[in-house]
Amino acid sequence: AGDPLTIREALLQAKKHNVAIGAHIGFDDIQGFGLKNMDLQQEEIEAIVLYQIGAIASMAKSYGVDIEFVRPHGAMYKRAANDFEFSLAIANAIKKFDEWLIYYGATSETLDKGAEEAKIRVAHEIQLNRIYNEDGTIDYTSNSVSNVDFAANRLNNILRHSSVRNNEGRLTEVKCDTIHFSSTSENILEIIKRANEIITPVPVNFKKAAVSGWV
């Protein structure tokens, strides 16, 4: 995501701090910040995904780093969580570019099914400040929660019970490999700091480790 100079700065900062780099892909919706859904043919989806991965991968290569994952943004992220054919098109595009890239998406059966068919790795993502439905999907009719204690309780439930408290007040078991922190959410820096007090992430170059045979 971002213009070329923003991408360059993000790459350099990630390299400096040993942070994994990914392509944050989305619909071609500059005015709507990628939040407007677009009905595209399979070949169009694959093309825009490959185009965006290629852009950041080429810049990353010029600075001596690799991209390790691909994550849809906005409307594309939401659509990929409940539209199997759409998610599969993304997965196939990722596979065509590099079979070692990891497909990040909202935790769902759709993500697993697409990855199984495309034969790529996926990472199920949870957001600490979103409301979830009973089936483990995000409730997009509800606003994000800015309460830091809410986010901390969510993380503790995930770590201890592999569950999130849903919009019915009960616990729903979910898969969770990674956590998404949105910079557009209120109090997100405070939530990140609290999360780091609970679990400290360890920088790992998964892609290179996987190629070596250690993963």
Side-chain angles (χ1 to χ4, degrees), residues 20 68-72 77 94 102-106 111 121-125 177-178:
E68 299 185 33
F69 64 92
V70 178
R71 181 193 184 275
Y77 177 86
I94 294 171
I102 306 170
Y103 179 11
Y104 279 33
L111 188 68
R121 277 185 286 260
V122 297
H124 287 260
E125 182 181 273
D177 305 302
T178 183

Side-chain angles (χ1 to χ4, degrees), residues 150-204:
F150 176 92
N153 289 334
R154 164 69 54 76
L155 181 53
N156 280 318
N157 273 329
I158 291 170
L159 294 173
R160 296 172 184 173
H161 311 294
S162 297
S163 301
V164 296
R165 192 163 298 281
N166 60 49
N167 51 12
E168 298 294 329
R170 293 184 287 272
L171 290 177
T172 294
E173 186 173 334
V174 294
K175 293 182 179 180
C176 179
D177 305 302
T178 183
I179 300 169
H180 175 65
F181 298 97
S182 174
S183 61
T184 60
S185 299
E186 186 180 354
N187 291 350
I188 198 64
L189 187 57
E190 293 177 49
I191 291 174
I192 292 172
K193 289 178 178 177
R194 177 70 72 85
N196 270 281
E197 293 173 2
I198 298 171
I199 180 171
T200 303
V202 179
V204 175

Side-chain angles (χ1 to χ4, degrees), residues 17-85:
H17 296 286
N18 193 28
V19 174
I21 298 164
H24 194 40
I25 59 174
F27 287 126
D28 188 15
D29 170 34
I30 297 174
Q31 289 79 12
F33 193 57
L35 302 181
K36 184 190 301 179
N37 186 41
M38 302 176 72
D39 288 322
L40 303 173
Q41 299 297 319
Q42 295 285 94
E43 60 268 23
E44 291 178 300
I45 299 167
E46 286 195 14
I48 63 172
V49 171
L50 286 168
Y51 174 77
Q52 292 179 65
I53 296 175
I56 192 169
S58 61
M59 291 188 71
K61 182 179 180 180
S62 69
Y63 295 113
V65 291
D66 294 312
I67 66 168
E68 299 185 33
F69 64 92
V70 178
R71 181 193 184 275
H73 163 74
M76 183 178 280
Y77 177 86
K78 182 178 178 180
R79 175 87 171 266
N82 52 45
D83 184 332
F84 171 72
E85 294 298 331

